[in-house]
Amino acid sequence: MKIAIIGGGISGLSTAYYLKKFSLPVTEIVLYEASSRFGGWIDSKKVTLNNEDIYLEKGPRTLRLTTGELKEINSIKLANDLNLSSNIEIISKNHPASVNRYIYFNGQINVIKPKLIGKTPLMSKGLLRYFFKELRSPKRDSSIEDETIWSFISRRLDSEIAENLIDPVFKGITGGDVRNLSAAALLKTFYDYEDNFGSISKGAFNKARNPIMENYEKYHDLLELRDKYRHQSVWRFKDGMQKFTERLAEELSKYENVKLCLNDPVKSVSRKNDKMSLLSNNSHQDFDMVISSVYSKINNQFLSDEYVSLKESLSKIEAVNMVVVNFVFKDDLLPFKGFGYLVPTNQKSPILGCIFDSVFNKPQEKNTCLTVMLGGAWYDEYLKNKSSDQIKKLAFTEVRKHLNIKVDPDYEDISILKEAIPQYRVGHNKLLSQIKNQIKEYGLSEKLYLTGFSYDGIGINDCIFNARKLVQDDILNNKTISINF
């Protein structure tokens, strides 16, 4: 079996890795990457200031371990399997980055620390009042398959929670507006709790009493590691997140039957008899199977026009433009330690939030490193037609005001990332079902597979675990489902 993988980001590289790990009868794997580097949005940059090496991230910088979900354990297991354990830094649940999360509201930085009884700057009532309201709130009508996150949280808890807490959190995760994002797709567990038990609280209680028995045989390697990471929050690579994708590419390059192709964009893909014909910039080859891990809309650049309705569906998954600005100061300037802060939409700020990267500094490291996020669903409103210098100035003006910084940065960098984060809008799950059916209707089942962050999770943990499930569940077991979620 000869397999093509389109896209050399974390999803494509992980898919190739698991094809080798699970020993499928593959004669050749050819991975096509259009750019000059592997890694996709995982992109680290090393700068040196005062003889201190600092790794700036344009994309993700940490991976979650908080919940102990299999997808979280799977990522750190993969890193260890790639012999990266010496480069891993695990952050406990007691670390300031885990304990202290902030929101900018009403002109000040406020720690997210709700009270059982009594108000806080972010919440006019105590948690108990929200809890009792949630228990009493009626279940949604069975005819409603999906709704916005804003609607769901406002209906079950309070519009204040949606506005002051949930809105900024999802700005930080997705760059999106909770007034458009899908509750069924992005809050699936909670949405199912309401559907099955009548409320989020009742669903959580039921899960605590009756934990789901996971497939030990299939995921025994992950379940056996769960206790080891039970009290950890997040983890990262000391030498930058790019270490992950670099090592994956290095590992794959050791195999004679794996070919990694940089600067080789795919031009066309179509089915020819029992094969998939793929034309790239540098070659024309036939494959038994094509796995595309790129952003959904990019598939339309090479899929044959005969798949018109499939291409129309793939184009409906929109993505937002993001801007990341890194500021580095030679001295420790932060007035408090924490992961960073987010900004609710109602605060009318051009920035989405600011990450305190230097919170992970060792005691001897005195620099301050900030990453400011801008754009997303508000890109056109605040940033359209602005130059890089204008955006950097805008970002610094905001964080200087929020953090009372008195000096100019000693180093700054900016990255403008076009169509960086797919948006799971209301109806996303229905759209995925439609894409599945269209793949079958066009006779592409077991010939074309789609994976990556456009479909079922935008995080690195999601992408890696979905790649594993694609190989282990769909391809290895010869299932006919051709989209991985």
Side-chain angles (χ1 to χ4, degrees), residues 22 41 63 75 82 92 135 137 149 189 210 246 319 370 413 428:
F22 291 112
W41 296 124
L63 294 175
S75 296
L82 292 169
S92 76
L135 277 176
S137 294
I149 292 175
T189 298
N210 306 290
E246 287 176 346
L370 307 176
D413 193 26
H428 183 76

Side-chain angles (χ1 to χ4, degrees), residues 10-11 14 451-453 457-468:
I10 189 67
S11 293
S14 298
T451 191
F453 68 166
I458 61 172
I460 295 179
N461 287 331
D462 300 303
C463 292
I464 295 172
F465 196 49
N466 285 339
R468 172 173 173 162

Side-chain angles (χ1 to χ4, degrees), residues 128-365:
L128 283 177
R129 293 186 65 179
Y130 294 118
F131 170 72
F132 287 124
K133 179 193 173 182
E134 202 282 320
L135 277 176
R136 295 192 301 266
S137 294
K139 178 181 175 181
R140 70 178 180 274
D141 189 275
S142 59
S143 64
I144 300 174
E145 295 181 357
D146 198 1
E147 64 187 297
T148 68
I149 292 175
W150 174 270
S151 167
F152 177 57
I153 297 299
S154 297
R155 180 170 57 78
R156 293 231 55 90
L157 291 165
D158 194 284
S159 60
E160 181 182 57
I161 299 293
E163 191 165 325
N164 296 346
L165 294 175
I166 303 301
D167 168 275
V169 166
F170 276 91
K171 287 173 78 172
I173 296 171
T174 70
D177 187 343
V178 292
R179 294 157 188 81
N180 298 316
L181 296 175
S182 162
L186 291 167
L187 291 175
K188 183 179 186 304
T189 298
F190 299 139
Y191 213 61
D192 288 348
Y193 282 167
E194 182 191 36
D195 193 33
N196 296 324
F197 302 100
S199 82
I200 299 171
S201 306
K202 291 175 184 176
F205 292 152
N206 182 78
K207 181 181 178 182
R209 290 197 308 265
N210 306 290
I212 298 172
M213 297 301 292
E214 290 156 307
N215 190 327
Y216 182 81
E217 182 179 354
K218 185 183 295 182
Y219 299 118
H220 67 89
D221 58 327
L222 306 180
L223 293 168
E224 290 169 355
L225 287 173
R226 180 175 278 168
D227 284 344
K228 179 179 179 180
Y229 300 110
R230 187 173 299 278
H231 302 293
Q232 311 307 329
S233 176
V234 298
W235 62 282
R236 67 179 195 135
F237 290 102
K238 299 172 187 175
D239 295 338
M241 191 62 69
Q242 192 170 308
K243 199 75 177 175
F244 211 169
T245 49
E246 287 176 346
R247 184 58 62 85
L248 270 169
E250 289 171 12
E251 182 68 18
L252 291 168
S253 67
K254 296 176 183 177
Y255 297 99
E256 292 183 0
N257 66 340
V258 176
K259 185 177 181 182
L260 304 179
C261 306
L262 289 172
N263 300 305
D264 198 5
V266 173
K267 302 295 187 181
S268 69
V269 172
S270 61
R271 180 164 184 171
K272 302 297 182 185
N273 300 318
D274 64 338
K275 300 289 185 182
M276 295 295 287
S277 176
L278 187 151
L279 174 66
S280 75
N281 199 53
N282 298 326
S283 67
H284 188 182
Q285 301 186 59
D286 290 336
F287 293 91
D288 297 292
M289 180 188 301
V290 173
I291 302 170
S292 178
S293 68
V294 298
Y295 165 46
S296 60
K297 277 190 178 182
I298 295 178
N299 290 291
N300 292 348
Q301 297 174 12
F302 51 76
L303 282 176
S304 169
D305 288 339
E306 63 187 291
Y307 311 130
V308 58
S309 62
L310 173 60
K311 294 175 70 170
E312 287 175 356
S313 296
L314 291 170
S315 69
K316 291 179 180 178
I317 303 175
E318 300 287 343
V320 294
N321 301 328
M322 295 292 292
V323 178
V324 173
V325 183
N326 305 111
F327 295 116
V328 184
F329 306 83
K330 64 182 180 181
D331 298 316
D332 185 358
L333 303 176
L334 289 176
F336 39 75
K337 301 297 182 185
F339 189 82
Y341 68 93
L342 298 166
V343 185
T345 303
N346 59 21
Q347 300 304 293
K348 303 298 181 183
S349 172
I351 75 169
L352 308 182
C354 177
I355 300 169
F356 303 161
D357 294 297
S358 46
V359 72
F360 300 114
N361 278 359
K362 300 296 182 290
Q364 69 274 16
E365 297 172 330

Side-chain angles (χ1 to χ4, degrees), residues 323-325 327 374 379 382-396 412-416 418:
V323 178
V324 173
V325 183
F327 295 116
L374 306 92
Y379 183 90
Y382 290 110
L383 307 180
K384 190 176 182 180
N385 300 323
K386 282 187 169 58
S387 67
S388 293
D389 286 342
Q390 288 174 320
I391 295 174
K392 284 191 290 186
K393 182 178 180 179
L394 181 66
F396 186 58
E412 59 186 31
D413 193 26
I414 184 171
S415 300
I416 299 175
K418 296 293 187 178

Side-chain angles (χ1 to χ4, degrees), residues 390-439:
Q390 288 174 320
I391 295 174
K392 284 191 290 186
K393 182 178 180 179
L394 181 66
F396 186 58
T397 298
E398 286 296 293
V399 295
R400 180 171 55 189
K401 176 178 67 176
H402 297 167
L403 298 173
N404 196 28
I405 294 174
K406 303 294 187 182
V407 298
D408 291 334
D410 296 287
Y411 179 88
E412 59 186 31
D413 193 26
I414 184 171
S415 300
I416 299 175
L417 314 172
K418 296 293 187 178
E419 295 186 319
I421 306 179
Q423 300 294 284
Y424 298 179
R425 293 181 174 161
V426 172
H428 183 76
N429 290 343
K430 187 175 182 179
L431 178 59
L432 296 187
S433 296
Q434 182 175 305
I435 292 171
K436 271 191 195 179
N437 292 332
Q438 289 165 341
I439 288 174

Side-chain angles (χ1 to χ4, degrees), residues 109-123:
I109 305 290
N110 302 275
V111 67
I112 304 175
K113 192 171 285 187
K115 298 177 180 179
L116 280 177
I117 300 173
K119 65 180 182 179
T120 70
L122 298 169
M123 299 165 61

